[in-house]
């Protein structure tokens, strides 16, 4: 007998490894994977490319007027990885740059942006059998998700992970101090915004992966999934 299909919501602060673990779990159990954070990053990239930012000031009215013109979709590359497309263009590499990371929490705090993307995210989950990670998946997007995980790790650990990731992608100019500051700023904005702030859902299971290996983390998630789908 085939296991029942469920919705898996993985939430947590930036650089906790949510996307990596969500992708791996989705691949292991044969579910679709949606990176909700990539959607906010794509909107942020649009803002940067179209001059909607003046320093840290965002032209909210112009962004809200442009939302209906934004199409965010996902494709799968030859290696089986998920890639993000903005208006038909592959922007997976661009949305991971520090320029986007430093502004994404500002964009994600705009109520109209969140409402527009939440509707798209909910549409992705209509058939269940989906893994989605982000900041408000278990609280706002899929409050009835059968599996909710809240991931955490210290700010220092997360900054080091992000710094190592940037170095691995060839960024030799961004310093650890800049990354740590960005992590702390994003933590504050994400947890204090008015619209769908980051918080642990009451029925979420906490995963602190500060001192876990990736293998231990993946085994923990798969065990939880198996128990919930029996």
């Amino acid at each position: 007998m085939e296991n029942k299909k469920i919705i898996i919501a993985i939430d947590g602060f930036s650089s906790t490894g949510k996307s990596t673990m969500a992708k791996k779990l989705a691949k292991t159990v044969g579910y679709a994977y949606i990176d909700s954070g990539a959607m906010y990053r794509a909107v942020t990239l649009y803002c940067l490319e179209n001059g909607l930012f003046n320093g840290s000031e965002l032209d909210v009215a112009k962004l809200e007027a442009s939302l209906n013109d934004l199409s965010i979709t996902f494709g799968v590359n030859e290696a089986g990885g998920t890639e993000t497309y903005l208006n038909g263009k592959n922007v997976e590499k661009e949305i991971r740059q520090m320029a986007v990371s430093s502004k994404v929490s500002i964009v994600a705090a705009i109520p109209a942006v969140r409402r527009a993307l939440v509707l798209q995210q909910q549409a992705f989950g209509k058939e269940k059998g989906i893994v989605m990670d982000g900041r408000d998946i278990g609280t706002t997007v899929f409050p009835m998700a059968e599996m909710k995980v809240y991931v955490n790790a210290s700010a220092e650990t997360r900054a080091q992970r992000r710094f190592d990731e940037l170095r691995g992608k060839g960024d030799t100019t961004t310093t650890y101090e800049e990354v740590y500051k960005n992590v702390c700023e994003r933590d504050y904005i994400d947890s204090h915004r008015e619209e769908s702030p980051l918080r642990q859902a009451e029925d979420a299971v906490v995963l602190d992966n500060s001192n876990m290996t990736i293998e231990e983390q993946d085994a923990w998630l798969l065990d939880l999934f198996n128990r919930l789908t029996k």
Side-chain angles (χ1 to χ4, degrees):
M1 182 177 173
E2 189 177 341
N3 287 350
K4 62 180 180 181
K5 280 192 173 182
I6 64 171
I7 291 175
I8 301 171
I10 300 180
D11 290 310
F13 287 109
S14 66
S15 302
T16 48
K18 299 186 304 297
S19 296
T20 301
M21 69 178 74
K23 286 175 190 173
K24 179 65 183 294
L25 181 61
K27 188 174 183 180
T28 301
V29 303
Y31 276 21
Y33 165 69
I34 299 294
D35 180 354
S36 75
M39 299 175 74
Y40 290 98
R41 284 175 172 270
V43 177
T44 304
L45 179 66
Y46 175 87
C47 293
L48 290 167
E49 290 183 338
N50 289 275
L52 271 58
F53 271 105
N54 180 13
S56 61
E57 292 296 313
L58 174 63
D59 189 332
V60 177
K62 194 171 283 188
L63 171 57
E64 290 179 347
S66 304
L67 285 175
N68 289 335
D69 299 325
L70 297 185
S71 167
I72 302 167
T73 54
F74 295 93
V76 178
N77 61 26
E78 291 180 356
T82 304
E83 296 187 329
T84 310
Y85 288 76
L86 173 61
N87 292 338
K89 178 189 174 187
N90 188 329
V91 293
E92 186 62 33
K93 184 177 180 182
E94 290 88 340
I95 64 172
R96 306 298 172 184
Q97 301 300 318
M98 195 66 189
V100 170
S101 296
S102 64
K103 297 285 196 298
V104 65
S105 288
I106 298 171
V107 172
I110 306 300
V113 173
R114 297 206 72 81
R115 287 193 288 267
L117 295 191
V118 164
L119 286 174
Q120 288 187 41
Q121 291 155 10
Q122 289 172 333
F124 284 133
K126 281 184 177 177
E127 303 299 321
K128 297 200 173 187
I130 190 172
V131 183
M132 190 176 293
D133 70 284
R135 304 287 192 280
D136 62 346
I137 310 305
T139 54
T140 300
V141 183
F142 297 121
M144 302 307 291
E146 295 89 342
M147 176 171 165
K148 298 180 185 179
V149 179
Y150 186 81
V151 194
N152 204 359
S154 70
E156 291 80 6
T157 297
R158 291 183 286 121
Q160 188 63 53
R161 288 173 182 166
R162 178 72 178 136
F163 178 72
D164 292 342
E165 180 186 6
L166 288 170
R167 281 289 184 270
K169 290 180 176 178
D171 183 340
T172 58
T173 57
T174 304
T175 66
Y176 170 82
E177 288 73 23
E178 288 174 320
V179 175
Y180 178 75
K181 182 183 178 188
N182 175 243
V183 164
C184 293
E185 287 174 347
R186 289 180 67 186
D187 285 357
Y188 184 85
I189 295 172
D190 290 342
S191 56
H192 287 80
R193 64 176 177 241
E194 288 186 22
E195 186 88 8
S196 302
L198 168 64
R199 59 181 175 83
Q200 180 189 332
E202 289 183 7
D203 53 346
V205 182
V206 178
L207 169 60
D208 188 319
N209 64 1
S210 298
N211 300 304
M212 294 177 82
T213 65
I214 291 176
E215 290 75 21
E216 289 170 339
Q217 170 184 280
D218 292 343
W220 185 96
L221 285 164
L222 185 58
D223 178 64
L224 178 61
F225 172 82
N226 286 333
R227 282 187 278 124
L228 290 172
T229 54
K230 277 183 179 178

